[in-house]
Amino acid sequence: MAQSAKYVYFFGPQGTEGNAGMVNLLGGKGANLAEMAGHPDLRLPVPAGFTITTEVCTHFMKHNAQYPEGLKAQVAEALAKVEAAMGMKFGDAGNPLLVSCRSGARRSMPGMMETVLNVGLCSKTIPGLIKKTNNPRFVYDAYRRLIMMYSDVVMEKAEGIEPAEGQGIRQQLERLMEALKHKKGYEKDTDLTAEDLQTLCEQFKGKVREVLGKPFPDDPQEQLWGGIGAVFKSWNGKRAVSYRRIEGIPDEWGTACNVQSMVFGNMGDNSATGVAFSRNPATGENKFYGEWLPNAQGEDVVAGIRTPNPLNIATKSEQNKHLPSLEEAAPALYKELDDIRIRLEKHYHDMQDIEFTIQEGKLWMLQCRVGKRTGTAALNIAMDMLGEKLIDEATAVLRVAPKQLDELLHPIMDPAAEKKAKPIASGLPAGPGAACGQIVFTSDDAVAWAKQGKQVILVREETNPEDVEGMRAAEGILTARGGMTSHAALVARGWGKCCIVGAGTIKIDVAAGVMKIGDKIWKQGDEVTLNGTRGLVYEGRLPLIDATENPRLQEFMKLVEKFRELGVRTNADTPRDAKLAREFGAEGIGLFRTEHMFYGEGSDEPLFVLRKMILSKTTAERQKALDELFVFFKRDIKGTLEAMDGLPVTIRLLDPPLHEFVPQEEEKQAELAKAVGITVEQIQERARELHETNPMMGHRGVRLGISYPEVTAMQVRAIFEAAAELIKAGKKPRPEIMVPVTCDVKELDVTKAVVDQVHAEVERQFGAKIEYLYGTMIEIPRACLLADKMARTAQFFSFGTNDLTQMGFGFSRDDIGGFLPTYLEKRILMADPFQTIDQEGIGQLIEMAVSKGRAVRPDLKVGICGEQGGDPDSVEFCFRTGLNYVSCSPYRVPIARLAAAQSSIKSKRAK
């Protein structure tokens, strides 16, 4: 490991050692704490602390949980600085300093790693803290929280203990607390007295020893290093690994650990804790938005255990309008916080997620970071900040992630249908859009049902980070408890998931598999519809509609076009798809599959004729069937060329193996036998003749055309006649003929002779000049190796990345389900190579082919038309490699356009 001699960075009112630019070393949280504490334009009230770098985490992981030499001395030195800054001493009996241990990776992973608060409370320090604060209830409340968190995070999770559902140590301790509240007739945690809490702490310690087999540590230093180690171990916790896989965060980054002086929001009614956003993270509205809880610690807000108060009057909702806002309860403190919000936005030029604590009337800032937001909020914030001159146009384009644009293209509820429906429940609108599905009550069920192809709504009392896989699998999330800053809300917003939290009228019985609202019961598997934009829940499946008619989105996409250089086409097989893609901004068709007419709606007649052609014994029989097929080919090609008038249309010649089209059902075989005048047995015999052991590498693509030149001639004639008729009608067709599955330039030369002959015949027949391009689909590794020779004949290359990946890896894309999930889980592969281009391996083949091809033909047009054409990372790779265009499905065209523009901006900024 490339080690730094310095592992620990102090931050505080004086002598801060880091800054926001050190995010890779200090993590996002540590870098921003240093920035808030030390930057001359900020110098905010930040409790002193220190950050242990990400390098320590990577060392810790590689060396069997051992720390690098010298770390303990650096921690002791930094802790002494913190003690001096705060005027308290860690582990001191009379004036004890308490600290928190928090994770902080370079990219935000909300709730995925661990935190321990109140570290340093023990039998030695408790009496001194009671004497100092004259508040025994606060001290024992802090102590019971430490026992709950530490036993859960350090003694159970960090040790790899996986208890049965509902039997985790934290849940067992919570049951003890609920039992005491029930016995005493209390409703809220805050009703517990100092004596109650002292008794509870002793019960907690007994339960910890009973369940985990070891005592709760009573030494502050042991607690501190236990907390630090647990933070580093949580980097490889199950939920953190799952989240990284979903978000594409590399394992080798590691997390920093922030050790920070505790300030307390649970010291009484003049203390509080809260989470705020400088703008609304769900809608982007420019209003200070957040939640707070009096007499509480931060975990109470994000855990969703209590419904929090609104931050101000302007952002009150139906669910919390009866609760006092911070603006009403403490106007001076609210103004101070609002001023800080404005300063942070001005400093960072982005929407901020802020954590704060009020301790006995004094405001402390615990964190700021770029706030996670929905796609709607990202769009609105980008355009608003551009209008406010906080950011420039290029930055505005970078502020909306391509996956957020995908979210904006997702459905919303049909307003007409919603008007007629009556909500069964309401909550806080935490995640946008709408979702329908069957109710499930556990994360495991959500994953299992989704794998069966079912659409599910995950319904929980409140989500916790262990639910991350189920949240990902679900169409939408509904919780009975929690606020807009709870775990469910944060994660759902980050993923653009439809989510409603804090629907308090819902009662859930997971064991019985039921949800109750009033007197009515819904069982697992019943359907509901969520309106995540309004926070409303409906019974049954209501219709959803397209959300793309958004003037703000159209304005944003015009901005995107100012920066985009890479072309974006679509994969479309029908005039309808072509028209839709053109509306989405496609600049042509990168893949028109001639075989599309043999599948789906209206395919019966052309498929029947194709089968006759396949069964032909002589060239004359085959030609007769091809003449019948010609009508269908010409009709579809002409319609698509017309829909894309003036734009290029790349038409791939017939590609699939013929055996795919031979009927398997006896009824269809009998029907075909009668029409062709042969027996069913003869049809079955022909099917056996066509059968191939490995058809994807068999008699398909260019090989069909070389074996049967008349098949190629028919398709080419259909293309040229369709173009000629459109030219005569005053249109501007731009056909591009693409020969698939080639591995040698001689295949292209043989096929080109057929194309040239038909082209000349059609030009003479129609008296029209028909311009076209002739090229090939590069999908075989040998074609990449010989690209310089291929380019002598081909005027363009289009990479068929699906087959190129298949042949490059030796993976059958139809059979990877048996092993690819394991490869991803074990991190043998970092991503599914059929979803995003394998830049390290397949990428080399593409780069080689482009370089070799353009060495022979400098004006060689190059694109891709595989599934990866709409993947943002693949789009960026294509831009860097010098491709002319990418091609993807119609609904991914806007995403590819945005990814292409962002690639251009990043490239210019890197120079």
Side-chain angles (χ1 to χ4, degrees), residues 463-507:
T463 67
N464 60 59
E466 275 72 27
D467 291 326
V468 60
E469 294 281 11
M471 294 171 71
R472 186 65 170 175
E475 298 292 315
I477 301 151
L478 172 63
T479 73
R481 294 196 289 185
M484 290 286 279
T485 53
S486 65
H487 171 262
L490 282 173
V491 173
R493 274 198 295 276
W495 288 340
K497 271 295 171 193
C498 179
C499 177
I500 297 171
V501 298
T505 58
I506 292 175
K507 307 299 176 195

Side-chain angles (χ1 to χ4, degrees), residues 242-313:
S242 293
Y243 188 84
R244 287 203 300 277
R245 192 179 308 125
I246 292 163
E247 290 288 305
I249 297 172
D251 288 338
E252 59 268 21
W253 280 4
T255 181
C257 177
N258 301 286
V259 178
Q260 187 175 20
S261 303
M262 284 297 305
V263 288
F264 299 97
N266 59 329
M267 290 186 75
D269 291 337
N270 63 346
S271 300
T273 187
V275 176
F277 297 86
S278 57
R279 303 185 188 218
N280 188 312
T283 67
E285 188 179 17
N286 190 2
K287 286 183 179 176
F288 195 17
Y289 190 93
E291 296 167 331
W292 69 291
L293 281 169
N295 198 16
Q297 283 199 309
E299 59 164 336
D300 298 330
V301 179
V302 297
I305 294 166
R306 291 163 61 184
T307 297
N309 298 32
L311 194 64
N312 49 36
I313 298 164

Side-chain angles (χ1 to χ4, degrees), residues 253-418:
W253 280 4
T255 181
C257 177
N258 301 286
V259 178
Q260 187 175 20
S261 303
M262 284 297 305
V263 288
F264 299 97
N266 59 329
M267 290 186 75
D269 291 337
N270 63 346
S271 300
T273 187
V275 176
F277 297 86
S278 57
R279 303 185 188 218
N280 188 312
T283 67
E285 188 179 17
N286 190 2
K287 286 183 179 176
F288 195 17
Y289 190 93
E291 296 167 331
W292 69 291
L293 281 169
N295 198 16
Q297 283 199 309
E299 59 164 336
D300 298 330
V301 179
V302 297
I305 294 166
R306 291 163 61 184
T307 297
N309 298 32
L311 194 64
N312 49 36
I313 298 164
T315 57
K316 283 192 174 189
S317 69
E318 284 298 316
Q319 282 66 42
N320 60 24
K321 65 183 181 183
H322 61 289
L323 298 170
S325 67
L326 184 63
E327 183 182 20
E328 294 164 302
L333 282 167
Y334 174 78
K335 185 177 187 313
E336 184 184 356
L337 184 65
D338 191 35
D339 288 344
I340 288 172
R341 173 273 286 227
I342 293 165
R343 288 169 63 193
L344 286 172
E345 262 208 0
K346 189 175 178 183
H347 183 77
Y348 284 101
H349 302 281
D350 204 350
M351 187 267 273
Q352 295 297 298
D353 173 352
I354 301 161
E355 290 183 20
F356 65 92
T357 286
I358 298 164
Q359 178 176 301
E360 297 185 310
K362 179 173 171 54
L363 176 66
W364 293 93
M365 299 300 295
L366 304 186
Q367 173 172 293
C368 80
R369 61 186 174 189
V370 172
K372 290 196 176 293
R373 64 205 76 178
T374 65
T376 300
L379 173 67
N380 289 330
I381 290 170
M383 299 306 287
D384 286 345
M385 286 190 168
L386 177 63
E388 294 159 23
K389 297 188 167 37
L390 266 177
I391 58 175
D392 60 19
E393 288 183 334
T395 303
V397 169
L398 291 173
R399 284 286 166 83
V400 180
K403 66 180 181 183
Q404 289 177 316
L405 195 60
D406 187 27
E407 175 194 324
L408 285 166
L409 300 173
H410 282 174
I412 59 174
M413 285 194 68
D414 181 341
E418 187 173 18

Side-chain angles (χ1 to χ4, degrees), residues 669-688:
Q669 289 177 345
E671 184 184 340
L672 186 60
K674 184 178 179 183
V676 180
I678 59 176
T679 66
V680 170
E681 288 73 23
Q682 286 175 302
I683 288 177
Q684 292 168 345
E685 175 62 28
R686 180 62 173 148
R688 284 191 289 274

Side-chain angles (χ1 to χ4, degrees), residues 572-593:
D573 302 321
T574 66
R576 184 177 60 190
D577 284 350
K579 182 175 180 293
L580 176 66
R582 194 163 186 168
E583 289 169 1
F584 279 141
E587 299 168 310
I589 290 178
L591 179 62
F592 173 92
R593 291 159 283 224

Side-chain angles (χ1 to χ4, degrees), residues 34-148:
E35 188 82 356
M36 286 197 296
H39 194 282
D41 292 344
L42 294 174
R43 298 210 189 284
L44 302 179
V46 174
F50 55 88
T51 301
I52 304 172
T53 67
T54 56
E55 289 183 345
V56 175
C57 181
T58 54
H59 182 282
F60 186 83
M61 294 302 167
K62 287 179 181 175
H63 295 88
N64 196 28
Q66 297 298 307
Y67 295 109
E69 191 177 340
L71 177 68
K72 294 212 171 186
Q74 289 187 33
V75 167
E77 184 184 342
L79 187 57
K81 286 185 183 178
V82 174
E83 291 170 338
M86 300 302 289
M88 295 176 276
K89 192 168 178 60
F90 188 69
D92 187 74
N95 186 24
L97 172 74
L98 305 185
V99 298
S100 62
C101 297
R102 299 172 184 260
S103 61
R106 68 173 79 172
R107 257 174 65 189
S108 174
M109 295 172 58
M112 297 301 126
M113 291 182 289
E114 302 299 354
T115 292
V116 186
L117 305 179
N118 308 332
V119 172
L121 265 181
C122 60
S123 57
K124 178 183 174 184
T125 57
I126 284 171
L129 193 59
I130 290 174
K131 186 177 179 182
K132 180 181 175 183
T133 62
N134 194 30
N135 190 343
R137 190 204 176 281
F138 149 70
V139 175
Y140 283 110
D141 184 47
Y143 192 39
R144 70 93 185 162
R145 291 169 184 272
L146 170 65
I147 298 168
M148 291 178 91

